[in-house]
Amino acid sequence: MTQAAMSPGMAALVLFGSFFFLIALRVPVAFALGLACLPPLLFELRLSPMVLFNETFKSYNSFILLAVPFFLLTANLMNIGGITDRLVHLSRTMVGNWPGSLAQINVLLSVFFAGISGSSTADAASQSKIFIEAQTKEGYDLSFSIAITAVSAVLAVIIPPSILMIVWGGVLSVSIGALYLAGILPGILIAAAQMATVHVYAKIYNYPVYPRATLREFFCSAAQSVPALMTPFIIVGGILLGWFTATESACVAVMVGCFLDAIPAIIIVGTTLEPLARSVNMHPVQFAIIGIVSLAFGLVTPPYGLCLMISCAVARVRLRYALKDTMIMLLPMLLVLAAIITWPEIPLVLPRLISPEFLR
């Protein structure tokens, strides 16, 4: 094998064979993905193992990726500062009287948190600790509690500011400002689909409902949550107005106020399919939103559903325990994805209305 170049079929066999062999040995997925690339680099005369290290370094030696730790730092600072508790209270005053109150609060908090961290894994970790035990104490099924916490966490990479949008924009040269605007409506639609699913579950299983909050309670809670609610406006607005870049906006958010597993997928799949999307006249922003939403759904599907893994780990159950409810909750979300594919105006309407120059 070392005397001749490997055929594409042989290279694929070695790649996937090595990967599944390492998985069978219970090697962590991230390490298995990296190590599986080594055999073809060793056997192929035209390549060298140094290619792996060079490409890995170049992929992460990027100014734009500095936004990732700053967004995560913003979320951690808000948790420590008690702002997350204020957002929980605000969510309760808004949807606490809806069927399945605590689960509805779970979804709405994910919407708020999405505008702060940009990281689904950070959202899944923090909200699993807040909601899973609380929901089970109020009579919610454990599988349902895990599933709704995991699927609502994916909103963090769809609603801006999103780490995946930053990476996609950097890798494929798409306007990050346009992606931020394009992600708002799909994110709201997916959140609405999740809330509708909670409503159906609540009616079937008779989940508890909180008393309706007064208007005064809502305004008081909203006033206390202003610092957190301003964060997405600072981040998105600063980019749209040209005040600072995605990285600088994350730093500004920290001053007022991991999810790298999908980055290889963006680099490999995004760059591969982008010419195909262009050949059928699909707008690059629509294609980006389709790709990002699809990758977000992958965070709750095996074998590498990281958000689902985190929620199950917090609940101390195996992944398959919550798989059924998770798949049920994905169905209406997939309908939203189908709508985004069918009607390009869903992701493109806000960029066209607010900043049409981003779409040129």
Side-chain angles (χ1 to χ4, degrees):
M1 187 177 292
T2 57
Q3 301 301 315
M6 297 176 68
S7 67
M10 179 60 70
L13 183 63
V14 173
L15 274 170
F16 287 103
S18 302
F19 173 71
F20 288 114
F21 175 72
L22 291 168
I23 290 296
L25 294 178
R26 303 184 69 84
V27 175
V29 174
F31 292 101
L33 285 169
L35 293 172
C37 297
L38 282 175
L41 295 176
L42 291 171
F43 296 144
E44 174 57 66
L45 295 177
R46 296 170 295 179
L47 298 175
S48 162
M50 288 304 297
V51 171
L52 178 63
F53 303 110
N54 290 337
E55 290 302 315
T56 301
F57 178 77
K58 285 195 293 184
S59 297
Y60 298 124
N61 185 28
S62 168
F63 174 74
I64 202 166
L65 291 184
L66 286 174
V68 175
F70 282 119
F71 281 137
L72 295 179
L73 177 58
T74 303
N76 288 330
L77 289 176
M78 289 191 169
N79 278 331
I80 294 170
I83 295 178
T84 300
D85 295 333
R86 298 177 194 174
L87 290 176
V88 171
H89 190 264
L90 175 62
S91 302
R92 179 165 181 166
T93 63
M94 294 174 68
V95 298
N97 62 310
W98 294 11
S101 300
L102 194 53
Q104 301 282 12
I105 293 168
N106 192 342
V107 176
L108 187 57
L109 185 64
S110 288
V111 174
F112 290 142
F113 206 77
I116 298 170
S117 73
S119 166
S120 288
T121 49
D123 190 353
S126 62
Q127 295 203 192
S128 293
K129 296 172 185 176
I130 296 171
F131 286 104
I132 291 177
E133 184 178 358
Q135 286 185 206
T136 53
K137 284 182 177 179
E138 292 193 8
Y140 293 82
D141 183 71
L142 178 59
S143 173
F144 168 81
S145 302
I146 294 169
I148 192 59
T149 303
V151 298
S152 65
V154 307
L155 292 170
V157 294
I158 300 171
I159 296 175
S162 161
I163 290 172
L164 286 192
M165 290 179 183
I166 294 171
V167 176
W168 191 290
V171 171
L172 293 174
S173 300
V174 180
S175 167
I176 295 175
L179 293 180
Y180 276 3
L181 289 173
I184 295 173
L185 188 55
I188 291 172
L189 291 175
I190 291 170
Q194 293 172 354
M195 287 181 158
T197 306
V198 170
H199 183 96
V200 173
Y201 266 86
K203 290 296 186 181
I204 293 173
Y205 297 104
N206 198 29
Y207 288 149
V209 179
Y210 296 149
R212 181 188 295 272
T214 64
L215 205 58
R216 184 177 184 277
E217 287 175 325
F218 166 72
F219 282 117
C220 288
S221 183
Q224 293 174 349
S225 304
V226 165
L229 296 175
M230 286 300 295
T231 302
F233 293 102
I234 291 169
I235 295 169
V236 178
I239 292 174
L240 295 180
L241 295 173
W243 293 344
F244 34 67
T245 65
T247 304
E248 292 162 348
S249 68
C251 300
V252 173
V254 171
M255 288 185 287
V256 295
C258 206
F259 191 66
L260 297 181
D261 51 281
I263 290 177
I266 291 174
I267 295 170
I268 297 168
V269 179
T271 53
T272 303
L273 296 180
E274 192 269 339
L276 180 62
R278 193 169 58 246
S279 70
V280 296
N281 296 318
M282 180 180 287
H283 197 283
V285 172
Q286 183 197 9
F287 173 62
I289 296 300
I290 291 170
I292 289 167
V293 171
S294 302
L295 288 171
F297 290 178
L299 290 168
V300 289
T301 54
Y304 200 61
L306 194 55
C307 287
L308 184 58
M309 287 181 181
I310 291 170
S311 295
C312 288
V314 171
R316 298 181 181 178
V317 297
R318 291 186 177 274
L319 189 70
R320 62 174 178 267
Y321 182 84
L323 204 53
K324 178 184 175 182
D325 285 316
T326 302
M327 294 301 106
I328 291 172
M329 291 180 187
L330 269 178
L331 292 177
M333 296 165 63
L334 288 170
L335 292 177
V336 176
L337 177 59
I340 295 170
I341 296 170
T342 306
W343 294 293
E345 285 304 310
I346 293 177
L348 297 180
V349 62
L350 286 181
R352 281 179 177 155
L353 286 174
I354 299 173
S355 295
E357 66 275 9
F358 284 152
L359 298 179
R360 293 169 190 162

